[in-house]
Amino acid sequence: MASGARARQREQTRRTLLREGRRLFATRGYGTVGLAEIVYAARVTKGALYHHFDSKAGLFRAVLEQVQQEVAQKVAATAEAHDDPWEQLTAGCRAFLTASTDPDVQQIMLIDGPAVLGWSEWRAMDESASAHHLAEALTSLTEAGAIAAQPVEPLTHLLSGAMNEAALWLATSTNPDDLADTWAALSRMLEALRRK
């Protein structure tokens, strides 16, 4: 087999492991899924899994990164659909809260993510996936005078923390009105920042 064909086969195996791992982690949760189940679903050997990932946690980390990137892309696309910087911020924040109510996203990103990887690593991954978009939006609004001049980094962390905490809470909520109520509360917080 030529090296190009081997590389394609390796990449296909990796994609299959990610797809099947994601499906199982999302539907059953990290703690109840075993490696044997993942490799069986992917139709590969444990050796093939270990070629790509050092452990079940390593596979989970890659799945979580994929989910976080997808959520960040949805948020950015929603924000960029607006011309007004304030509307970009609010649309992006709302898109994040909405995306975080997807059951697969909740299980992988919000329930298992912090539990499996630990808070510090989960938070670092979250920052690299989406916090820079929020910082850019806040910087633009501050420079335009829509928000009072202030250091953007602490404001980014405060808003990101509020949204992550709201998303974590929504992940355990059973009340369908909680998303609308959460958005209303966040919207009021954002409006308090806005210069009139």
Side-chain angles (χ1 to χ4, degrees), residues 93-102 105-106 109-111 119 122-123 126 157-175 177-187 189-190:
C93 291
R94 187 174 199 147
F96 172 77
L97 286 179
T98 302
S100 70
T101 62
D102 177 283
V105 170
Q106 287 179 334
M109 190 171 92
L110 301 171
I111 296 170
W119 179 257
W122 178 80
R123 186 70 189 109
D126 176 64
H157 283 280
L158 286 167
L159 286 178
S160 178
M163 286 188 290
N164 279 332
E165 188 60 33
L168 289 165
W169 176 70
L170 287 169
T172 61
S173 168
T174 56
N175 184 342
D177 295 331
D178 284 343
L179 175 60
D181 292 344
T182 301
W183 169 245
L186 180 60
S187 183
M189 283 178 58
L190 293 172

Side-chain angles (χ1 to χ4, degrees), residues 22-37:
R22 180 175 179 162
R23 180 182 63 80
L24 290 166
F25 294 144
T27 56
R28 304 241 322 279
Y30 177 86
T32 63
V33 176
L35 278 179
E37 201 173 350

Side-chain angles (χ1 to χ4, degrees), residues 29-152:
Y30 177 86
T32 63
V33 176
L35 278 179
E37 201 173 350
I38 295 167
V39 297
Y40 178 79
R43 295 190 170 111
V44 300
T45 65
K46 280 189 181 179
L49 183 140
Y50 285 123
H51 176 76
H52 294 280
F53 305 100
D54 61 356
S55 61
K56 182 174 101 168
L59 172 61
F60 179 80
R61 186 179 293 105
V63 167
L64 173 59
E65 186 174 75
Q66 185 181 65
V67 170
Q68 286 179 322
Q69 290 298 326
E70 289 170 8
V71 169
Q73 289 167 0
K74 283 181 190 175
V75 168
T78 302
E80 290 165 5
H82 299 273
D83 293 326
D84 178 70
W86 185 259
E87 289 176 16
Q88 288 176 343
L89 173 69
T90 58
C93 291
R94 187 174 199 147
F96 172 77
L97 286 179
T98 302
S100 70
T101 62
D102 177 283
D104 292 357
V105 170
Q106 287 179 334
Q107 185 65 50
I108 293 169
M109 190 171 92
L110 301 171
I111 296 170
D112 286 338
V116 173
L117 301 180
W119 179 257
S120 295
E121 185 175 353
W122 178 80
R123 186 70 189 109
M125 288 177 72
D126 176 64
E127 280 190 44
S128 70
S130 62
H132 67 277
H133 292 294
L134 181 58
E136 288 171 5
L138 293 171
T139 298
S140 294
L141 288 165
T142 302
E143 289 171 353
I147 293 177
Q150 60 188 292
V152 171

